[in-house]
Amino acid sequence: MHQLTIEPTFTAWRDAARLLLHHDVPPQQIDWHDTRAAPALPLSGLALPLDPPSKPHHRVPPRFLEQAQTVAHHRDPRRWSILYRTLHRLTHGEPQLLSIASDDDVRDLEVMAKAVHRDRHKMTAFVRFKRVERDAEPHYVAWYKPAHYVVPLAAPHFRDRYAAMRWSILTADECVHWDGNDLRFTPGVARDAAPADDELETLWLQYYGSIFNPARIKLGAMRKEMPVRYWPQLPETRIIPDLLQAAPARVAEMVARSQALATEMDMTDVPQTNSIKILREAACACTRCPLYKPATQTVFGEGPDDADVVFVGEQPGDGEDRAGKPFVGPAGRLLDEVLEEVGIDRKRVYVTNAVKHFKFEPRGTRRIHVKPNAREIAACNVWVTKELEIIKPSVLVLLGATAAQALVGRQFRITQQRGEIFESAWSPWTMATFHPSALLRVPDEAARQEMRAHFTADLTQVSKKLRHAG
Ligand code: URA
């Protein structure tokens, strides 16, 4: 048996595996380690010629390589050896191996890949930033404890979402930082327990000096590069009047956007609690977006804290805004009707919304529903996600596109994915279906009947699942 220690990356495993395969080293002769799990082991006890393979590589299904890239992020130290054994089998007489779902190696890899995907998704959903000041500039810091080594997989999500902010996510394995231009990875913070809220700030301040270059572009320096007196001679100056005219609107848009993102990241108004009651009280004072101003009140979720199933809608309507309770208007009555039809007890259901204030346009004496925009949904997201974190429903039903996009991503399409069951960060059994208001809006009777049949069929699946579960 040879000891082999590699860097803990897919590339390092692939390079080593290619070499071993080239020299026909059987899997049982290699004891795989990586420098993260066993940094003290000697680099390699293997007596292999170091020359790289000269004969053509073995052909392996692209699906395997894709899966191996994911599995490399799993925490199980056995992953390298399972990957190599599978690779060896694929190239030594078992080319169809991956289609044998009952095979132990195939199953292990499948389970590991799924766990990594789920963990990446959880990280994108559960990271909570705290605003800290440094050099009079805001920086957002989060502490997180992923189950697997998913920081590099989740980092692009945060980069794209919070491109305009400066942030750091600290974990025990590895940290990632965004300074507005580059993602930077640094070693993990050596602590096994999550720091308390105020400790997070101290931890970050200690850390800061070593990771950021505080140099900033200075306006003065820019002026030096292109002194103002030369501006009239430059051809570009011809477009300056146009630029100046467009500038206030663009600046206002940029400011609004960065304020919205700052609100989304800032969690200071959200209590760290496991109580829906405390959360509801905090949400009643919510001013995270301007929708609280014209609305009568916050309409928070309602139902048992230990409900097996949570239904999430879009936002309260006119009746809900006045009553302070979700789903009590026409859409709620339709929902109640179908719940009864399929045998779900409404008293066992927790109902809530992605947005907690009614957004409307006054028209005469009426208040007409207006769809919330992406910023309002994002600002409100902390409440619904915290509700789900506390309740941990075994079944989650997303009613309509706003709820689905708020909780499982903007790429979600009700028209294509309605009625499908999938695991989300919030529940192992998640489904999106029509919003009952959408049924009420369809003018054509036949089309409405058809939609209602789909809606009833989806909720029948929910009912069956709930009966099965308990
Ligand atoms: N529509 C919703 O999405 N939620 C309600 O509470 C009422 C109508």
Side-chain angles (χ1 to χ4, degrees), residues 8-11 13-14 34 36 61-80 82-83 106-121 147-154:
T9 64
F10 165 75
T11 324
W13 171 82
R14 186 198 56 199
D34 68 51
R36 175 143 47 192
R63 190 179 133 210
F64 172 72
L65 291 178
E66 213 175 282
Q67 194 178 45
Q69 288 191 46
T70 305
V71 168
H73 294 271
H74 200 278
R75 205 173 281 277
D76 189 334
R78 298 173 310 135
R79 66 198 183 287
W80 307 121
I82 299 174
L83 282 170
V106 174
R107 205 183 38 233
D108 282 353
L109 292 181
E110 201 66 41
V111 168
M112 283 192 222
K114 263 196 166 174
V116 169
H117 283 306
R118 194 179 325 125
D119 201 43
R120 186 206 80 89
H121 186 57
H148 300 289
Y149 302 120
V150 292
V151 173
L153 299 179

Side-chain angles (χ1 to χ4, degrees), residues 299-311:
V299 179
F300 203 71
E302 202 177 63
D305 296 12
D306 60 349
D308 287 331
V309 56
V310 173
F311 281 73

Side-chain angles (χ1 to χ4, degrees), residues 280-449:
R280 178 183 290 115
E281 281 163 13
C284 283
C286 181
T287 55
R288 297 174 71 85
C289 81
L291 291 185
Y292 76 94
K293 289 182 201 159
T296 310
Q297 57 195 313
T298 301
V299 179
F300 203 71
E302 202 177 63
D305 296 12
D306 60 349
D308 287 331
V309 56
V310 173
F311 281 73
V312 183
E314 180 193 77
Q315 61 165 346
D318 183 71
E320 287 81 10
D321 172 75
R322 294 176 203 278
K325 288 168 177 292
F327 285 102
V328 292
R333 283 195 290 278
L334 175 57
L335 178 64
D336 286 354
E337 218 179 90
V338 180
L339 287 178
E340 195 179 336
E341 207 175 307
V342 302
I344 299 176
D345 181 357
R346 166 73 131 99
K347 289 197 288 303
R348 288 186 50 205
V349 172
Y350 187 94
V351 284
T352 191
N353 285 299
V355 172
K356 308 291 191 224
H357 284 110
F358 177 37
K359 182 176 181 182
F360 61 91
E361 235 172 56
R363 204 169 296 161
T365 54
R366 294 174 60 210
R367 303 189 301 171
I368 308 299
H369 163 276
V370 177
K371 221 174 156 44
N373 65 34
R375 282 195 207 131
E376 291 148 356
I377 296 168
C380 214
N381 205 252
V382 290
W383 302 118
V384 68
T385 55
K386 193 82 191 156
E387 282 173 292
L388 292 168
E389 251 179 85
I390 295 173
I391 298 173
K392 296 186 182 56
S394 44
V395 174
L396 172 63
V397 185
L398 307 168
L399 298 170
T402 300
Q405 290 173 11
L407 289 167
V408 293
R410 286 196 203 164
Q411 73 297 340
F412 194 92
R413 294 286 168 270
I414 287 280
T415 43
Q416 288 156 27
Q417 290 158 281
R418 200 212 86 248
E420 283 175 15
I421 294 147
F422 56 94
E423 177 165 5
S424 68
W426 320 108
S427 170
W429 201 101
T430 305
M431 176 206 272
T433 183
F434 294 128
H435 192 290
S437 303
L439 271 68
L440 294 172
R441 276 197 303 268
V442 180
D444 177 67
E445 173 65 23
R448 190 168 57 244
Q449 292 298 343

Side-chain angles (χ1 to χ4, degrees), residues 1-62:
M1 175 75 90
H2 301 284
Q3 302 291 326
L4 178 62
T5 306
I6 58 167
E7 287 293 315
T9 64
F10 165 75
T11 324
W13 171 82
R14 186 198 56 199
D15 293 349
R18 268 191 192 148
L19 207 59
L20 296 173
L21 209 56
H22 175 73
H23 292 283
D24 268 336
V25 180
Q28 60 276 18
Q29 283 191 15
I30 303 293
D31 191 8
W32 291 82
H33 302 275
D34 68 51
T35 50
R36 175 143 47 192
L41 279 170
L43 228 130
S44 169
L46 200 60
L48 282 178
L50 287 176
D51 57 319
S54 53
K55 62 182 179 190
H57 295 322
H58 293 272
R59 289 202 146 268
V60 284

